[in-house]
Amino acid sequence: MTLSIQEILNRFWQQYYSENPAVKKLYDAFLQREPSIINDHIALRTFNDPRVNINILAQPFISNGYVESGEYDFPNKHLFAKHFEHADSDLPKLFISELISEKFSPALQKIVADCIEKIPTQILNDPEQLILSGVQWQPLSYATYQALLTESEYAAWMYAFGFRANHFTISVNHLTSFKNLEEVNLFAKALGFKLNDFDGEIKGTPEELLEQSSIRAVSVPVEFVDGTHEIPLCYYEFAQRYQDSNGKLYQGFIAASADKIFQSTDVKS
Ligand code: NI
């Protein structure tokens, strides 16, 4: 199977839009004001196991012309990330992070290894399938989810939701009826959404050439063997980029800001 980049992005979007009622509501509201929505980036999450790590998830994008363009460390969350860009600037950048499992307890490492073991070989051998394969380690246990949560919110999210787009990000630069990120934030709040306000609603500054904000992930019911529980799924992000001293729009990411954006799926907040 070889999908075009547009087909891959459409699949991510269809899953994200149809399974997140909050995303649908917000996107539809933007479309009332905007002729079209351009995505700044989409973000994927994974584990650093060589069978499913960043380099594996990136393969379908690289074979479609995406190029590795930056690396980021998140020492507090024990995450590593890379971003990828396409020469066609209307295509979203790709941000893939991975959990550095060996930084955690043997118990967490065992859970992660068991999950990956359960992914059918046919899916492991086909990154195009893997990137959208969700959870292949059913049945889920709420006790396991909670155990993961004590060590890593990220690990718990991956356990519950698996391989999918964690978020899409609207490019504020491409919006025609909003002056800046602050106006976008006001619009989202007026629709009733709660913003991730960890260390302020806007992460980053014009001087850093990137400002980002996001709504808090809205909880959805997830079926576990030990009952159905509401847990935070995906969020929607907004990004406004600024020109560097050469007049070129900055295309990278700011690790300190991304670190705070990760909190958007935080259960405790
Ligand atoms: Ni993002």
Side-chain angles (χ1 to χ4, degrees):
M1 187 168 55
T2 307
L3 299 172
S4 71
I5 190 60
Q6 216 48 64
E7 287 169 320
I8 292 172
L9 293 170
N10 283 345
R11 287 182 182 206
F12 275 116
W13 176 255
Q14 284 312 322
Q15 183 187 51
Y16 177 74
Y17 179 81
S18 65
E19 294 180 14
N20 288 281
V23 164
K24 182 178 189 313
K25 180 179 168 188
L26 195 46
Y27 177 79
D28 291 350
F30 271 103
L31 270 195
Q32 298 289 315
R33 285 182 55 157
E34 294 286 328
S36 66
I37 307 289
I38 298 287
N39 290 302
D40 178 87
H41 66 271
I42 75 169
L44 313 182
R45 292 179 171 187
T46 189
F47 302 113
N48 71 341
D49 184 291
R51 290 168 290 180
V52 300
N53 66 13
I54 292 173
N55 296 336
I56 301 289
L57 264 56
Q59 275 176 20
F61 293 88
I62 287 170
S63 54
N64 272 291
Y66 273 78
V67 175
E68 196 179 310
S69 309
E71 289 189 3
Y72 310 90
D73 286 307
F74 303 94
N76 297 333
K77 293 185 168 65
H78 302 308
L79 302 172
F80 172 69
K82 289 182 182 179
H83 101 262
F84 301 81
E85 294 176 23
H86 197 281
D88 178 351
S89 62
D90 275 350
L91 287 174
K93 283 170 278 297
L94 174 68
F95 185 91
I96 313 180
S97 55
E98 65 185 17
L99 186 79
I100 306 168
S101 302
E102 57 274 21
K103 297 277 190 188
F104 295 91
S105 72
L108 180 144
Q109 294 178 47
K110 168 97 169 56
I111 295 166
V112 169
D114 287 348
C115 287
I116 296 166
E117 277 307 317
K118 286 184 186 159
I119 303 173
T121 311
Q122 170 213 340
I123 293 178
L124 282 178
N125 288 340
D126 183 359
E128 277 187 359
Q129 279 191 62
L130 178 68
I131 53 177
L132 284 149
S133 61
V135 167
Q136 297 291 324
W137 41 85
Q138 273 108 347
L140 294 173
S141 146
Y142 192 62
T144 301
Y145 172 80
Q146 285 186 305
L148 290 173
L149 212 48
T150 63
E151 290 196 60
S152 164
E153 186 278 324
Y154 184 106
W157 187 92
M158 269 305 291
Y159 175 75
F161 300 114
F163 299 98
R164 59 171 63 237
N166 172 265
H167 62 270
F168 276 68
T169 302
I170 292 179
S171 168
V172 175
N173 298 70
H174 286 84
L175 297 176
T176 56
S177 68
F178 296 87
K179 273 208 301 286
N180 52 36
L181 186 55
E182 205 173 348
E183 283 192 6
V184 170
N185 288 347
L186 287 171
F187 181 67
K189 285 191 283 188
L191 288 165
F193 290 99
K194 289 202 171 61
L195 296 187
N196 167 349
D197 57 2
F198 179 76
D199 207 18
E201 287 177 357
I202 294 180
K203 303 2 170 180
T205 62
E207 293 69 38
E208 289 174 296
L209 307 181
L210 174 61
E211 291 184 304
Q212 294 163 272
S213 64
S214 59
I215 62 164
R216 292 207 158 283
V218 174
S219 292
V220 297
V222 175
E223 256 181 64
F224 295 90
V225 277
D226 32 3
T228 298
H229 297 269
E230 299 253 335
I231 57 177
L233 175 51
C234 297
Y235 55 92
Y236 217 160
E237 186 186 321
F238 317 110
Q240 182 171 11
R241 294 182 181 274
Y242 294 86
Q243 291 176 352
D244 62 20
S245 49
N246 299 318
K248 196 174 172 295
L249 208 58
Y250 177 67
Q251 296 298 320
F253 291 85
I254 307 292
S257 301
D259 197 285
K260 296 169 202 163
I261 292 279
F262 277 120
Q263 310 271 120
S264 305
T265 50
D266 203 295
V267 177
K268 297 178 287 295
S269 315

